[in-house]
Amino acid sequence: MSSARWSANRALDEVRASVRTLGPEAESGPAGLDRALADLVHHLDGGERRISLEVTGTERRPLLVLYRAVQEGLTNACRHSGATEIGVAVAYDEDGARLEVTDNGAGFGGAEEGFGLAGLRERVRLAGGTVDIRSSADGTVLSVGVPW
């Protein structure tokens, strides 16, 4: 129940942040991606699974598309894969940002990608980025790169 309440509150916060981007404070951007990812990982970590977060480089501006990619990767790993170890790595450089969400779960098998991954591919494409998904019986790696 507390997880559902946290998710609902988080969704409301995201809606508020989106609405604020329409106003004059939009130029300052939403809260930093690093902080948002740490918060997300903190709330999903624990129980039968461990989630780690590694960030290298300096964030130049928040990238909502990367946050959504991590959400999708973590959702799939937590709900569907049976993973016990999940890693999130974000690296910033002069060209943009790159992330990987890795897990030690069962992989996709022969299953087709769902709406979540299709939506992610479209959001990243619109941002000028790339998506690569590698899945096997030993786990899945979701890689996303987005230019500044």
Side-chain angles (χ1 to χ4, degrees), residues 21 59 63 116 122 144:
T21 64
E59 177 182 349
L63 295 168
E122 181 63 11
V144 176

PDB file of all heavy atoms in Angstrom, residues 21 59 63 116 122 144:
ATOM      1  N   THR A  21       6.427  23.724 -16.229  1.00  0.00           N
ATOM      2  CA  THR A  21       7.258  23.981 -17.401  1.00  0.00           C
ATOM      3  C   THR A  21       6.549  24.851 -18.419  1.00  0.00           C
ATOM      4  O   THR A  21       7.186  25.430 -19.284  1.00  0.00           O
ATOM      5  CB  THR A  21       7.718  22.679 -18.088  1.00  0.00           C
ATOM      6  OG1 THR A  21       6.581  21.986 -18.586  1.00  0.00           O
ATOM      7  CG2 THR A  21       8.532  21.817 -17.170  1.00  0.00           C
ATOM      8  N   GLU A  59      25.792  16.522 -15.014  1.00  0.00           N
ATOM      9  CA  GLU A  59      24.535  16.774 -15.705  1.00  0.00           C
ATOM     10  C   GLU A  59      24.495  18.229 -16.162  1.00  0.00           C
ATOM     11  O   GLU A  59      24.704  19.144 -15.373  1.00  0.00           O
ATOM     12  CB  GLU A  59      23.387  16.479 -14.730  1.00  0.00           C
ATOM     13  CG  GLU A  59      22.017  16.757 -15.276  1.00  0.00           C
ATOM     14  CD  GLU A  59      20.946  16.492 -14.228  1.00  0.00           C
ATOM     15  OE1 GLU A  59      21.232  15.908 -13.170  1.00  0.00           O
ATOM     16  OE2 GLU A  59      19.806  16.897 -14.482  1.00  0.00           O
ATOM     17  N   LEU A  63      17.077  15.696 -18.208  1.00  0.00           N
ATOM     18  CA  LEU A  63      16.539  15.057 -19.405  1.00  0.00           C
ATOM     19  C   LEU A  63      15.415  14.117 -18.984  1.00  0.00           C
ATOM     20  O   LEU A  63      15.656  13.001 -18.526  1.00  0.00           O
ATOM     21  CB  LEU A  63      17.638  14.286 -20.138  1.00  0.00           C
ATOM     22  CG  LEU A  63      18.767  15.134 -20.719  1.00  0.00           C
ATOM     23  CD1 LEU A  63      19.929  14.269 -21.159  1.00  0.00           C
ATOM     24  CD2 LEU A  63      18.251  15.963 -21.879  1.00  0.00           C
ATOM     25  N   GLY A 116       5.018  -0.154 -23.336  1.00  0.00           N
ATOM     26  CA  GLY A 116       5.970   0.665 -22.590  1.00  0.00           C
ATOM     27  C   GLY A 116       7.269   0.868 -23.344  1.00  0.00           C
ATOM     28  O   GLY A 116       7.762   1.997 -23.474  1.00  0.00           O
ATOM     29  N   GLU A 122       9.858   5.638 -29.052  1.00  0.00           N
ATOM     30  CA  GLU A 122       9.366   6.827 -29.737  1.00  0.00           C
ATOM     31  C   GLU A 122       9.833   8.105 -29.036  1.00  0.00           C
ATOM     32  O   GLU A 122      10.282   9.049 -29.690  1.00  0.00           O
ATOM     33  CB  GLU A 122       7.834   6.794 -29.827  1.00  0.00           C
ATOM     34  CG  GLU A 122       7.233   7.982 -30.536  1.00  0.00           C
ATOM     35  CD  GLU A 122       7.631   8.123 -32.004  1.00  0.00           C
ATOM     36  OE1 GLU A 122       8.229   7.184 -32.585  1.00  0.00           O
ATOM     37  OE2 GLU A 122       7.359   9.189 -32.584  1.00  0.00           O
ATOM     38  N   VAL A 144      20.298   3.535 -23.510  1.00  0.00           N
ATOM     39  CA  VAL A 144      19.687   4.710 -24.134  1.00  0.00           C
ATOM     40  C   VAL A 144      20.727   5.816 -24.160  1.00  0.00           C
ATOM     41  O   VAL A 144      21.394   6.079 -23.161  1.00  0.00           O
ATOM     42  CB  VAL A 144      18.449   5.187 -23.326  1.00  0.00           C
ATOM     43  CG1 VAL A 144      17.880   6.471 -23.921  1.00  0.00           C
ATOM     44  CG2 VAL A 144      17.380   4.092 -23.284  1.00  0.00           C
TER      45      VAL A 144
END
